[in-house]
Amino acid sequence: MEKHKVVIVGTGPAGLTAAIYLARADMNPLVIEGQEPGGQLTLTTEVENFPGFIEGITGPELMDNMRKQAERFGATFKTGWMTDVQTESRPFRVTVNGKEELEAEALIISTGASARWLGVPGEKENFGQGVSTCATCDGFFYRGRKVVVVGGGDSAMEEASFLTKFADEVTVIHRRNELRASKIMQNRAKENQKIKWALNKTTTEILSDNGKVTGVKVVDNDSGEEEVIETDGFFLAIGHIPNTAFLKDKIELDESGYVVVKPGTTKASVPGIFACGDVQDVTYKQAITAAGTGCMAALDVEHYLEGESTLDWSQTLSE
Ligand code: NAP
């Protein structure tokens, strides 16, 4: 069975930053990359807010660079899904793809959170070309234009308010008459003259022409009446789903499935397991915050292994 000091699960900015730090610290991390190598950033086009790139960089290029940087210092990669993990005793026993087993003295969970989708026609097809899951990332491109935000929670309110800095008109579409968002966020949005409301309406289709979003088809939930809201951009803000199904009953998760970490650290509820990036971040969900917590996880692992090692490090490679 393969034995490793550290296994990192997930290859977004959090996991790859942890890999860079741990590889440079001679920890030979093994990184397990799933079906979406590079994470959510590989689904975006231009990234203009990651420090260090004056003219911006594409999401796939940024992630490819991070991966190569980690490899340069000795990180190794394995393609597959971590399907199970035994957390009762250490070293942890990790199952990949339902059959292959590895041993790890420390584990970093950086499997991210996936944006929730409506599942309507035109949504995935126009992703990155008018359909976005991140106002902070893409709002800038809608200066002087019309956009819609779908959702009734705090994210929708925050994104709608943020988008009014650029767009001339922002319409919030929500499936109920009542918003879920906190009163303070609702009030802030309601006081904003640029925000229009399409409440109690179900989004049924995103319309586009020549690769550009042109409108959103909605149906009124009471009257059944259909209307098209013209728009240049469609922002999804209906929540995220943390990728933690394989961790259920293994470590503490909150009611939404996010990994609970000790505040100010990346330590999960089981000693030796650490979490970084969106999988433990309900609030910020930015590439740079993910990278920052990836660095924290690497340093936490280093301190942990210095203090509590149980493996014979002369035998850390495949037997
Ligand atoms: P959320 O609170 O779960 O709200 C998701 C919204 O999307 C709800 O209004 C929900 O409608 C709607 N929705 C879900 N699935 C849908 C579907 N299939 N079709 C149409 N609408 C759908 O998620 P969030 O707004 O991302 O917030 C997540 C957490 O982060 C919350 O705890 C929030 O307070 C926190 N947060 C805080 C801040 C802040 O304080 N600055 C900012 C952002 C987020 P229903 O209401 O009908 O269920």
Side-chain angles (χ1 to χ4, degrees):
M1 185 185 303
E2 277 187 35
K3 293 178 180 176
H4 296 270
K5 287 182 193 172
V6 195
V7 170
I8 300 170
V9 194
T11 52
L16 290 178
T17 302
I20 291 166
Y21 271 76
L22 288 166
R24 288 191 79 249
D26 276 344
M27 296 266 179
N28 305 317
L30 173 75
V31 188
I32 299 180
E33 61 184 349
Q35 277 171 0
E36 223 174 67
Q40 290 200 87
L41 268 191
T42 56
L43 305 176
T44 65
T45 47
E46 208 65 32
V47 179
E48 293 189 324
N49 55 7
F50 200 91
F53 300 93
I54 300 164
E55 302 300 331
I57 183 167
T58 68
E61 200 182 350
L62 178 62
M63 299 322 298
D64 194 43
N65 286 350
M66 284 193 198
R67 192 186 195 281
K68 285 180 177 146
Q69 195 176 350
E71 277 179 315
R72 181 181 152 217
F73 294 111
T76 52
F77 288 76
K78 185 183 281 290
T79 304
W81 283 110
M82 174 166 155
T83 44
D84 194 17
V85 57
Q86 300 298 325
T87 57
E88 295 81 24
S89 61
R90 279 176 291 150
F92 304 114
R93 195 164 275 212
V94 174
T95 310
V96 180
N97 292 337
K99 49 183 193 299
E100 195 179 348
E101 293 211 319
L102 315 168
E103 272 186 359
E105 191 69 4
L107 267 179
I108 294 182
I109 309 296
S110 50
T111 44
S114 305
R116 190 174 276 134
W117 296 80
L118 289 170
V120 298
E123 191 180 34
K124 292 251 162 112
E125 298 89 319
N126 291 299
F127 185 63
Q129 293 176 311
V131 173
S132 170
T133 55
C134 178
T136 314
C137 319
D138 299 329
F140 182 79
F141 302 115
Y142 292 90
R143 201 175 285 281
R145 308 179 70 184
K146 282 184 181 179
V147 299
V148 303
V149 175
V150 177
D154 282 338
S155 294
M157 299 305 107
E158 191 167 72
E159 302 219 338
S161 299
F162 175 78
L163 285 164
T164 61
K165 290 183 186 182
F166 309 101
D168 281 352
E169 187 180 295
V170 178
T171 304
V172 174
I173 303 173
H174 179 43
R175 64 183 176 184
R176 292 186 297 132
N177 265 322
E178 295 80 36
L179 297 166
R180 176 177 297 278
S182 56
K183 274 283 172 282
I184 187 166
M185 305 279 282
Q186 285 192 35
N187 291 343
R188 202 170 291 156
K190 282 177 180 165
E191 282 161 14
N192 191 321
Q193 300 296 311
K194 281 188 173 179
I195 298 180
K196 310 272 177 272
W197 301 89
L199 299 181
N200 199 28
K201 296 196 193 298
T202 300
T203 304
T204 54
E205 188 175 354
I206 293 151
L207 308 171
S208 61
D209 188 22
N210 270 331
K212 282 195 176 145
V213 166
T214 54
V216 181
K217 215 182 256 183
V218 295
V219 172
D220 186 279
N221 291 338
D222 289 336
S223 66
E225 209 171 291
E226 190 175 85
E227 84 178 275
V228 171
I229 299 171
E230 284 180 18
T231 189
D232 302 302
F234 179 86
F235 287 85
L236 277 159
I238 60 170
H240 284 78
I241 304 168
N243 301 316
T244 53
F246 66 100
L247 292 169
K248 197 167 174 285
D249 302 326
K250 307 285 180 178
I251 58 173
E252 189 184 347
L253 305 176
D254 73 9
E255 66 281 0
S256 304
Y258 287 88
V259 178
V260 175
V261 294
K262 188 175 170 203
T265 78
T266 60
K267 295 175 187 174
S269 59
V270 172
I273 302 187
F274 303 82
C276 53
D278 288 6
V279 77
Q280 52 83 57
D281 176 7
V282 181
T283 311
Y284 300 103
K285 294 194 176 69
Q286 298 300 301
I288 190 66
T289 52
T293 56
C295 164
M296 287 167 64
L299 298 180
D300 284 345
V301 164
E302 276 186 61
H303 291 147
Y304 168 76
L305 290 180
E306 275 163 17
E308 297 186 45
S309 179
T310 60
L311 249 187
D312 172 3
W313 295 125
S314 59
Q315 295 182 358
T316 50
L317 296 173
S318 314
E319 277 181 345

